Amino acid sequence: MKNNLFEFALNSLLRRGSKNIFITIIFSLLIFVLSSVFLITNALKTELYSTLEALPEIIVQKMVAGKQKDIEIERSDQILQISGVDDAIARVWGYYYFENQGVNFSIIGIDSYENQYKENLAIIADRFTDTLNSEKPSMIVGQAVYDILKQNYYEDYFYFVKPDGDSKEVNIGGIFKSSTNLESSDTIVMSKELVREIFNLDENYATDIVVKVPNPKEVSTIAWKIKELYPDTRVITREDIKVSYQNIFDYKSGLFLAFFILAIFTFFIIIYDKASGLSSEEKKEIGILKAIGWKIDDILTVKLYEALIISATSFFFALTLSIAYVYLLEAPLLRDIFMGYSILKPEFKLPFSLNFQVIALLFFITIPVYIAATIIPSWKAATLEADEVIR
Amino acid sequence: MIEVKNISKKFNENLANEVIALNDINLTIEQGELAILKGASGSGKSTLLSLIAALSKPTLGEVIVDGQRISKLPDNFSALFRREHIGFIFQKFNLISTLNVYENIITPLLPSEINREEIDQKAHKVMAEFSITHKKEVKVANLSGGEQQRVAICRALINSPKIILADEPTANLDAFLTDSFLDFIQQMKEEKKTIMIATHDPVFFNLDFTDREVDMRNGQII
């Protein structure tokens, strides 16, 4: 019996082909928009959190007249004396604007013999020791950076333009892949000496100092002690950075919310339109079925099958499409909305991250609503006297 | 046996446009009997058939079929009653226009426990009997009036009902098809089916195989 009714439902959908194709397209489109937004925010959050986790506990910057200036390297020795501090590393780094592509690269200086403040850098220092210590100026670039340079015909080396106008040829000595795309997409690693030369930095100064604190409960106290020791510094903890990133993300999420509300609103208008009544032909068909001996349950079973076929097909079609849109096509349009704050950064691939809670949420805010919208008017028609419906 | 006891049916009850379609009707139709309900349009014939088929509920009174009070049955039970006992041929056939001949005919059996093979056998048997097999794949919307009626008859008979109710069955048929329908009725009568036909077509009056003619006017039997 179930098979017969399922066949009838399938046949019924095919009979009203154009109408059902229209509903499927609209329904798919809405689920596609919703799931794309969910997927992209989820991917960005994953990326953001994994990047933030890799940050040092404390960053110390020297401030003069409200602007960041280079900091004396010797201060790292003083900071290291504070109890609870595991390490204080003077960083040499900066942004290099690559005009051809209109993006900024982060150039990070490391020395293979010293402790690294980040695990990724330690791996790079270990793996590319020869490159970093090579007599020929060399650098190690993230895969995405390499791709950008290659697009601009810099496959083996690159000319950096120094502040005094001279150029510096640097050999591409290696390529690394990072666990976070955000990082690998803009990072160039080279020896500190080379970074100093490119940015014209004094050897007694660093860009900032990162401080390692093993006990997270001590971070705020140590940050306060550093500030007391060097009142001209800005002391930023990882929590501060997390909050500031989160704020940017929340602002973007506000835009997402607007999108979401718009999509949901459209969805409910369509559902309302469908729920507000059946066509006279559909009503008559229900009346005929009752008149020839179909029970209300039989009619509702068929309507349930119809709604399930349409909504499940739309849901899985739209979900597949949005996965392809976000992860294969890199979410054109939507990506710009969510990553507008990093337009000066090179593009990076969104990490694949499927959150089943998000998929379940999407499922439960769309499919049951659609099924109810289909079942309720059918139920109303099916509970009328058959004679009344077919007359 | 069909017993109609003190049946009244009002539409739009207690409203300004209240209509009394049936007024205190009493009627008994024996098993295997052929009864013709005669009367002009609006006399209450169709309403009476509809009550006997449990398609609607009376305002007052009772319909009893083979000892079972069917007029107050809950909706699902009255549907089951129709599926198992009634073959209804509607005036406008009430076929599902987007389905083909075969699909229309098997529709009453789809919710039952009968398997697809048996459904197919029953459908082919009735289609062959009414010479419509060659049109089984044709959408009913594309059939002539006579062909549509044959499909409606096949659909009414596929459950092998013991009661056949027909509402103005020849209203849309020409003389030739009307004769064919009379042949069908005679055949059903020979098979001991209980038959009630609501009509104002004179071809049904004074037939030699009719058991009874019931005259109706203004919702009453006269």
Side-chain angles (χ1 to χ4, degrees):
Chain A
M1 176 186 104
K2 291 261 162 66
N3 280 346
N4 291 340
L5 294 183
F6 184 79
E7 252 179 63
F8 187 86
L10 200 59
N11 191 5
S12 171
L13 291 176
L14 295 173
R15 279 188 282 135
R16 299 186 186 94
S18 51
K19 180 192 164 190
N20 289 316
I21 287 171
F22 174 76
I23 291 172
T24 307
I25 289 172
I26 295 293
F27 198 44
S28 301
L29 196 69
L30 288 164
I31 296 175
F32 168 74
V33 171
L34 287 178
S35 54
S36 297
V37 170
F38 275 131
L39 289 179
I40 200 168
T41 47
N42 197 48
L44 284 173
K45 262 188 179 166
T46 308
E47 181 77 8
L48 191 63
Y49 282 120
S50 53
T51 305
L52 290 175
E53 284 312 310
L55 286 174
E57 284 83 15
I58 298 174
I59 299 171
V60 184
Q61 297 171 337
K62 185 175 179 182
M63 303 298 289
V64 175
K67 288 181 283 187
Q68 191 194 337
K69 294 282 176 185
D70 295 335
I71 191 166
E72 294 84 353
I73 290 178
E74 61 181 21
R75 289 191 181 189
S76 63
D77 296 330
Q78 295 300 316
I79 292 169
L80 198 54
Q81 302 303 315
I82 300 171
S83 66
V85 172
D86 192 42
D87 206 352
I89 303 158
R91 292 198 302 185
V92 179
W93 66 279
Y95 293 120
Y96 186 85
Y97 185 63
F98 182 43
E99 271 187 62
N100 298 27
Q101 205 74 23
V103 293
N104 275 319
F105 293 138
S106 301
I107 302 181
I108 297 169
I110 58 170
D111 284 327
S112 56
Y113 53 82
E114 65 176 14
N115 287 340
Q116 306 303 331
Y117 63 94
K118 222 158 56 166
E119 199 190 334
N120 281 355
L121 290 178
I123 294 168
I124 291 169
D126 191 43
R127 193 175 148 205
F128 296 100
T129 309
D130 293 344
T131 310
L132 290 167
N133 297 325
S134 149
E135 279 186 20
K136 195 176 176 186
S138 299
M139 61 183 177
I140 304 111
V141 298
Q143 180 65 53
V145 174
Y146 179 70
D147 294 339
I148 291 170
L149 293 177
K150 200 174 163 189
Q151 271 175 34
N152 291 275
Y153 310 107
Y154 295 109
E155 283 185 53
D156 305 319
Y157 59 88
F158 180 71
Y159 281 110
F160 287 97
V161 180
K162 297 193 288 186
D164 60 8
D166 282 352
S167 63
K168 177 75 181 174
E169 182 187 321
V170 179
N171 180 43
I172 299 173
I175 301 164
F176 70 90
K177 281 185 182 172
S178 166
S179 57
T180 62
N181 288 311
L182 197 57
E183 189 176 65
S184 71
S185 69
D186 80 331
T187 306
I188 295 174
V189 179
M190 55 180 76
S191 70
K192 281 186 174 174
E193 189 189 346
L194 197 51
V195 178
R196 287 182 197 285
E197 188 182 343
I198 289 170
F199 290 136
N200 195 21
L201 289 176
D202 190 304
E203 64 178 329
N204 295 317
Y205 285 83
T207 314
D208 53 26
I209 295 169
V210 295
V211 181
K212 279 188 179 177
V213 180
N215 184 356
K217 289 179 181 169
E218 285 185 323
V219 170
S220 57
T221 314
I222 290 168
W224 176 77
K225 283 181 180 172
I226 295 170
K227 182 75 184 165
E228 205 170 50
L229 187 63
Y230 297 112
D232 62 343
T233 57
R234 177 165 65 186
V235 183
I236 308 162
T237 65
R238 183 157 64 192
E239 279 310 304
D240 296 335
I241 299 173
K242 269 189 185 177
V243 168
S244 105
Y245 269 93
Q246 193 62 53
N247 285 344
I248 295 169
F249 196 79
D250 286 347
Y251 164 69
K252 297 291 166 185
S253 295
L255 288 174
F256 149 72
L257 194 66
F259 243 111
F260 180 80
I261 290 169
L262 193 72
I264 286 284
F265 186 65
T266 318
F267 174 67
F268 281 109
I269 286 178
I270 290 169
I271 293 301
Y272 174 77
D273 186 49
K274 185 153 177 63
S276 59
L278 298 170
S279 68
S280 57
E281 188 201 339
E282 283 170 310
K283 265 189 193 165
K284 192 179 174 193
E285 186 172 317
I286 288 174
I288 293 171
L289 293 175
K290 272 195 87 176
I292 61 176
W294 281 43
K295 294 190 285 183
I296 295 174
D297 309 3
D298 302 326
I299 294 166
L300 294 186
T301 304
V302 164
K303 293 296 167 189
L304 179 71
Y305 284 148
E306 285 181 18
L308 271 175
I309 292 168
I310 285 196
S311 55
T313 307
S314 303
F315 184 83
F316 289 109
F317 172 67
L319 189 66
T320 312
L321 210 62
S322 62
I323 288 172
Y325 170 74
V326 172
Y327 297 117
L328 292 181
L329 300 177
E330 293 291 304
L333 294 176
L334 270 186
R335 181 192 174 95
D336 295 340
I337 292 174
F338 284 95
M339 296 194 290
Y341 60 91
S342 64
I343 48 166
L344 288 177
K345 297 260 182 183
E347 298 237 322
F348 66 92
K349 274 203 166 300
L350 290 167
F352 185 80
S353 142
L354 264 190
N355 184 335
F356 287 97
Q357 279 177 327
V358 167
I359 293 172
L361 173 72
L362 205 59
F363 184 91
F364 286 112
I365 58 173
T366 53
I367 291 187
V369 177
Y370 181 80
I371 289 176
T374 313
I375 294 289
I376 291 168
S378 302
W379 171 77
K380 278 185 185 166
T383 49
L384 294 173
E385 285 190 341
D387 189 49
E388 192 182 332
V389 184
I390 57 177
R391 256 176 204 263
Chain B
M1 186 169 76
I2 302 168
E3 295 169 82
V4 176
K5 288 185 175 176
N6 307 110
I7 281 285
S8 291
K9 176 72 178 177
K10 292 177 187 173
F11 292 105
N12 307 321
E13 200 179 3
N14 299 325
L15 296 174
N17 56 345
E18 182 180 280
V19 175
I20 301 173
L22 294 173
N23 190 6
D24 199 24
I25 298 275
N26 285 285
L27 181 69
T28 302
I29 309 290
E30 298 293 338
Q31 172 72 38
E33 203 175 339
L34 166 58
I36 307 292
L37 294 178
K38 301 195 292 185
S41 291
S43 59
K45 311 181 297 289
S46 298
T47 306
L48 183 56
L49 282 193
S50 163
L51 292 174
I52 292 169
L55 286 172
S56 64
K57 292 182 169 44
T59 312
L60 286 171
E62 268 186 335
V63 176
I64 303 166
V65 176
D66 291 340
Q68 187 183 10
R69 295 159 189 251
I70 57 114
S71 45
K72 298 284 179 347
L73 280 176
D75 215 280
N76 278 347
F77 289 90
S78 59
L80 264 182
F81 163 76
R82 282 193 293 277
R83 192 191 301 172
E84 288 167 2
H85 301 288
I86 304 287
F88 204 118
I89 301 160
F90 299 92
Q91 181 178 355
K92 289 174 188 163
F93 312 132
N94 277 331
L95 299 171
I96 298 173
S97 59
T98 47
L99 291 180
N100 66 30
V101 168
Y102 174 81
E103 290 162 342
N104 262 289
I105 291 169
I106 64 166
T107 307
L109 297 181
L110 294 181
S112 63
E113 297 297 330
I114 302 171
N115 65 44
R116 200 60 196 231
E117 207 172 293
E118 201 180 334
I119 290 175
D120 199 49
Q121 279 174 4
K122 282 173 178 274
H124 279 91
K125 190 176 166 215
V126 285
M127 283 193 297
E129 209 169 323
F130 290 91
S131 312
I132 197 79
T133 312
H134 63 293
K135 300 262 180 163
K136 64 181 272 197
E137 303 289 348
V138 179
K139 292 260 184 296
V140 291
N142 300 329
L143 296 178
S144 68
E147 287 168 333
Q148 286 192 14
Q149 193 199 40
R150 277 187 277 163
V151 176
I153 293 170
C154 289
R155 187 181 66 182
L157 296 183
I158 196 165
N159 279 340
S160 310
K162 53 187 182 185
I163 299 168
I164 294 170
L165 306 174
D167 186 10
E168 300 287 4
T170 55
N172 300 302
L173 304 182
D174 59 24
F176 175 74
L177 291 170
T178 301
D179 282 346
S180 303
F181 186 76
L182 289 175
D183 292 341
F184 156 70
I185 291 298
Q186 191 167 9
Q187 185 194 331
M188 292 296 107
K189 165 82 178 142
E190 284 161 11
E191 289 178 18
K192 307 283 182 214
K193 305 273 188 195
T194 306
I195 306 163
M196 288 182 77
I197 300 170
T199 183
H200 60 264
D201 186 344
V203 298
F204 287 97
F205 306 158
N206 305 315
L207 290 170
D208 53 4
F209 55 90
T210 302
D211 296 302
R212 183 138 49 124
E213 290 184 5
V214 179
D215 251 318
M216 291 190 72
R217 191 180 300 159
N218 297 329
Q220 289 184 309
I221 293 174
I222 50 171

